[in-house]
């Protein structure tokens, strides 16, 4: 499992150690469920986020 | 009395909007000290709106079914000149200078806004046990939670403080309180109802919808609030059909899928029985109940959690420095979101696209799905875990397990009451439909309501 405390320190997130201990089981569970899913994403699948460029209009 | 019963009474002048509004205000005064459902009551404004509605109706100006009807909106909808807290001390003194699009549309339809409903802090949780404004209590049993995050909306509707209350739903926050309080609650398709002017929790998972005491009340509300809004980038231009089911509407020949995997696992037996009984009722009305296998919902829930944790933390990052201003449950979620790598968020959005394609295949087999809304009835206030057979599960994960994935897919989903558990608490049936097919799930729900009431 990931070392959440070290990640928090590296990012300077200033999360108290006791709070990290409290959330670590939830993060570990999510990691177990989510990580295997990422192994099989075809390269051509784009994220489901929309960003539209609209033509300029004269106003 | 339902909203449409009030409409009929108004039209035959058996009651006035002013009288309905006084009844509503009186009900709030009586019950709010116990339930804590309403955060702000707009007494003077509501009386003025009701007076204006009566005047218009007497002149023959009829704005439709919501005209003169007392309603509430969750305190996440901005209301011009009226405090909008989002259930947080950060926004304790936030007085918007604009109305949310939904509030505008409800006002244009003549609805009388009597108040702002309480909620889980920042809409980020399902108990509505708010550390700043106090716990909201379930009208069916005040020792139990009303669900959340739209807990005040559910409690206000179930206790007849108002005829309709708007909620928001990011991972079940309309459907969970509807299930726990015994009301109807609709999460419309993504883009169907404008998010403009709603304080966001999550950019890509937030949905707005009504809670009411009958299916047709939800239909007439959706009719008033649905439609394109250029101020919301995700707003859809899909035409708005007629949502109101006909009297004695038929569901003969409709194909209703009953999932054979995931949705009926780890359930309170009372919930299982109640939902299957409703499926049998649908079958007796001529619908075909078909066993189906649904795509991996555990995976969908994991994808939804990554998206929500990342987007909510990004949104609130500027406030996170002062940790004391959040409840411990909410700050824990923000911390989790900050610890996720950006690659996980992007991949979650890619997996979402894949799941959407996979789920689309299901609609060739069935017209809608029946599932439980929640695996259990409302837990007691303060309960952290729930026992479901041999399993012990975190209350928050259990309550969202059957609803969260539908937000990831953006599908419409409706919760309707379908019975009571052994403690007498309500149980909800979730009806999930094709994108923009709210009319069909409302028709199915109305037929069931007609058959069982």
């Amino acid at each position: 499992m990931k070392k959440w405390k070290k990640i928090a320190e590296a990012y300077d997130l200033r999360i108290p150690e006791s709070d990290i201990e409290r959330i670590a089981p939830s993060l570990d569970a999510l990691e177990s469920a989510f990580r295997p899913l990422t192994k099989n994403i075809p390269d051509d699948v784009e994220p489901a986020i929309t960003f539209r460029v609209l033509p300029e209009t004269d106003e | 009395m339902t909203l449409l019963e009030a409409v009929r009474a108004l039209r035959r002048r058996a009651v006035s909007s002013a009288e309905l509004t006084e009844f509503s205000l009186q009900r709030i005064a009586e019950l709010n000290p116990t339930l804590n459902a309403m955060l702000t009551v707009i007494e003077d404004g509501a009386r003025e709106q009701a007076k204006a509605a009566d005047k218009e109706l007497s002149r023959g100006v009829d704005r439709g079914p919501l005209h003169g009807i007392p309603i509430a909106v969750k305190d996440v909808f901005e209301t011009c000149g009226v405090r909008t807290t989002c259930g947080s001390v950060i926004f304790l003194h936030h007085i918007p200078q604009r109305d949310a699009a939904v509030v505008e549309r409800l006002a244009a339809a003549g609805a009388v806004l009597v108040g702002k409903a309480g909620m889980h802090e920042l809409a980020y949780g399902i108990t509505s046990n708010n550390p700043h404004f106090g716990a909201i209590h379930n009208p069916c049993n005040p020792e139990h939670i009303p669900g959340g995050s739209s807990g005040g909306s559910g409690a206000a509707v179930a206790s007849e403080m108002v005829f309709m209350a708007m909620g928001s739903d990011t991972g079940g926050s309309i459907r969970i309180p509807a299930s726990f309080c015994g009301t109807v609650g609709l999460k419309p398709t993504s883009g169907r109802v404008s998010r403009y002017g709603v304080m966001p929790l999550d950019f890509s998972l937030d949905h707005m919808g009504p809670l009411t005491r009958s299916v047709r009340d939800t239909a007439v509300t959706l009719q008033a609030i649905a439609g394109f809004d250029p101020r919301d980038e995700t707003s859809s231009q899909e035409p708005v059909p007629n949502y109101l089911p006909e009297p004695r509407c038929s569901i003969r020949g409709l194909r209703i899928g009953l999932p054979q995997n995931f949705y009926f696992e780890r359930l309170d037996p009372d919930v299982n029985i109640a939902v299957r009984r409703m499926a049998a009722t649908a079958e007796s009305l001529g619908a075909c109940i078909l066993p189906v296998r649904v795509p991996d919902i555990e995976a969908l829930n994991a994808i939804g959690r990554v998206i929500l944790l990342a987007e909510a933390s990004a949104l609130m990052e500027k406030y996170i420095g002062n940790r004391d201003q959040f409840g411990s449950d909410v700050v824990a979620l923000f911390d989790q979101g900050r610890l996720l790598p950006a690659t996980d968020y992007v991949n979650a959005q890619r997996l979402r696209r894949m799941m959407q394609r996979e789920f689309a295949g299901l609609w060739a087999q069935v017209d809608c799905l029946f599932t439980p809304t929640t695996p259990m009835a409302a837990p007691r206030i303060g309960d952290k875990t729930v026992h479901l057979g041999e399993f012990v599960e975190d209350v928050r994960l259990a309550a969202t397990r059957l609803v969260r994935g539908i937000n990831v897919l953006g599908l419409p989903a409706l919760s309707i009451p379908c019975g009571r558990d052994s403690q007498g608490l309500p149980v909800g049936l979730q009806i999930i439909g094709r994108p923009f097919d709210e009319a069909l799930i409302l028709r199915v729900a109305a037929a069931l309501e007609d058959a069982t009431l």
Side-chain angles (χ1 to χ4, degrees):
Chain A
M1 283 300 154
K2 286 186 175 174
K3 293 181 170 52
W4 302 111
K5 189 177 157 222
K6 289 194 171 168
I7 294 171
E9 283 169 0
Y11 284 125
D12 192 24
L13 295 180
R14 298 172 195 202
I15 304 173
E17 198 173 329
S18 58
D19 286 2
I20 291 185
E21 281 168 15
R22 196 157 59 96
I23 61 175
S26 297
L27 284 166
D28 288 342
L30 185 58
E31 182 73 14
S32 302
F34 183 73
R35 190 64 49 214
L37 304 174
T38 62
K39 309 288 183 206
N40 300 312
I41 308 175
D43 291 348
D44 62 350
V45 176
E46 294 198 9
I49 303 168
T50 53
F51 173 69
R52 283 184 297 244
V53 178
L54 301 172
E56 289 292 322
T57 52
D58 295 329
E59 285 187 33
Chain B
M1 183 188 266
T2 67
L3 189 155
L4 282 173
E5 285 166 352
V7 171
R8 287 190 280 275
L10 261 177
R11 295 301 181 277
R12 64 171 190 269
R13 308 228 174 146
V15 71
S16 66
S17 173
E19 287 168 330
L20 288 174
T21 302
E22 286 307 323
F23 175 80
S24 182
L25 293 171
Q26 182 63 34
R27 194 91 182 140
I28 293 167
E30 280 170 18
L31 296 178
N32 212 42
T34 308
L35 300 178
N36 194 29
M38 302 293 283
L39 207 49
T40 303
V41 183
I42 312 167
E43 286 194 43
D44 292 345
R47 288 190 175 108
E48 275 173 36
Q49 281 185 300
K51 205 170 152 189
D54 282 332
K55 206 175 271 184
E56 283 192 332
L57 286 166
S58 68
R59 287 204 324 261
V61 178
D62 191 334
R63 294 171 184 256
L66 297 181
H67 201 167
I69 299 293
I71 61 144
V73 296
K74 183 178 180 177
D75 208 27
V76 74
F77 290 87
E78 290 199 320
T79 40
C80 187
V82 177
R83 184 181 73 156
T84 303
T85 67
C86 206
S88 163
V89 288
I90 295 171
F91 304 110
L92 193 58
H93 305 294
H94 173 53
I95 299 180
Q97 297 305 303
R98 63 176 183 179
D99 279 331
V102 163
V103 174
E104 283 175 357
R105 289 187 185 216
L106 290 169
V112 175
L113 183 63
V114 298
K116 308 290 296 286
M119 54 188 282
H120 199 104
E121 181 182 17
L122 294 167
Y124 210 0
I126 60 91
T127 64
S128 297
N129 197 358
N130 191 303
H132 315 295
F133 300 102
I136 301 171
H137 299 256
N138 191 320
C140 304
N141 183 336
E143 290 177 6
H144 291 247
I145 63 169
S149 62
S150 310
S153 301
V157 169
S159 63
E160 305 195 18
M161 290 179 182
V162 289
F163 290 95
M164 184 280 290
M166 285 298 303
S168 64
D169 189 319
T170 304
S173 288
I174 290 171
R175 290 159 288 159
I176 296 166
S179 177
F180 286 175
C181 294
T183 74
V184 176
L186 173 69
K187 183 201 85 63
T189 311
S190 293
R192 181 74 300 178
V193 174
S194 173
R195 300 171 309 148
Y196 173 79
V198 181
M199 298 168 83
L201 170 62
D202 182 295
F203 304 108
S204 66
L205 298 171
D206 288 350
H207 298 70
M208 313 305 143
L211 293 98
T212 64
R213 290 193 289 279
S214 88
V215 173
R216 288 182 177 83
D217 291 357
T218 283
V220 296
T221 306
L222 181 63
Q223 202 74 55
I225 61 174
F228 178 64
D229 179 359
R231 297 167 298 181
D232 174 356
E233 264 207 71
T234 62
S235 185
S236 170
Q237 302 209 41
E238 193 69 22
V240 176
N242 175 29
Y243 291 119
L244 184 62
E246 298 282 329
R248 296 182 299 282
C249 54
S250 170
I251 57 169
R252 185 163 295 281
L254 280 184
R255 299 165 304 164
I256 295 171
L258 208 57
Q260 301 299 291
N261 58 319
F262 187 79
Y263 279 106
F264 288 86
E265 296 161 9
R266 279 186 284 151
L267 292 186
D268 182 311
D270 294 335
V271 173
N272 196 348
I273 291 166
V275 172
R276 290 185 188 280
R277 193 185 298 138
M278 215 53 155
T281 302
E283 195 165 32
S284 73
L285 295 172
C288 304
I289 304 296
L290 301 173
V292 290
R293 289 199 70 77
V294 292
D296 186 350
I297 308 293
E298 292 277 12
L300 196 57
N301 282 342
I303 294 162
R305 286 201 68 210
V306 169
I307 294 171
L308 174 57
L309 289 169
E311 290 193 5
S313 293
L315 187 70
M316 297 304 291
E317 189 169 31
K318 63 184 171 192
Y319 302 111
I320 292 173
N322 187 354
R323 301 169 68 83
D324 294 341
Q325 48 188 353
F326 301 105
S328 59
D329 61 329
V330 167
V331 85
L333 292 169
F334 287 145
D335 287 342
Q336 290 176 57
R338 297 162 79 207
L339 283 161
L340 294 177
T343 47
D344 279 2
Y345 173 70
V346 175
N347 280 331
Q349 291 285 14
R350 295 173 75 207
L351 286 160
R352 181 186 202 177
R353 183 87 71 191
M354 289 169 65
M355 292 299 289
Q356 187 185 26
R357 288 174 192 154
E358 205 178 323
F359 227 88
L362 197 63
W363 303 122
Q365 301 170 50
V366 296
D367 298 305
C368 64
L369 289 175
F370 275 15
T371 79
T373 306
T374 52
M376 72 291 185
R380 284 181 181 275
I381 292 173
D383 279 359
K384 302 282 184 216
T385 56
V386 58
H387 292 259
L388 295 166
E390 63 197 270
F391 300 98
V392 179
E393 194 171 356
D394 181 290
V395 161
R396 296 167 301 178
L397 292 177
T400 54
R401 173 154 49 86
L402 310 180
V403 286
R404 179 189 300 283
I406 303 309
N407 293 64
V408 179
L409 299 168
L411 300 171
L414 181 71
S415 182
I416 61 168
C418 70
R420 303 247 165 188
D421 74 352
S422 55
Q423 296 180 80
L425 292 166
V427 172
L429 163 74
Q430 179 173 230
I431 308 175
I432 304 165
R434 294 188 181 97
F436 297 100
D437 210 358
E438 284 86 355
L440 183 133
I441 59 174
L442 287 164
R443 175 155 63 96
V444 172
L448 291 172
E449 195 175 72
D450 292 347
T452 53
L453 284 182

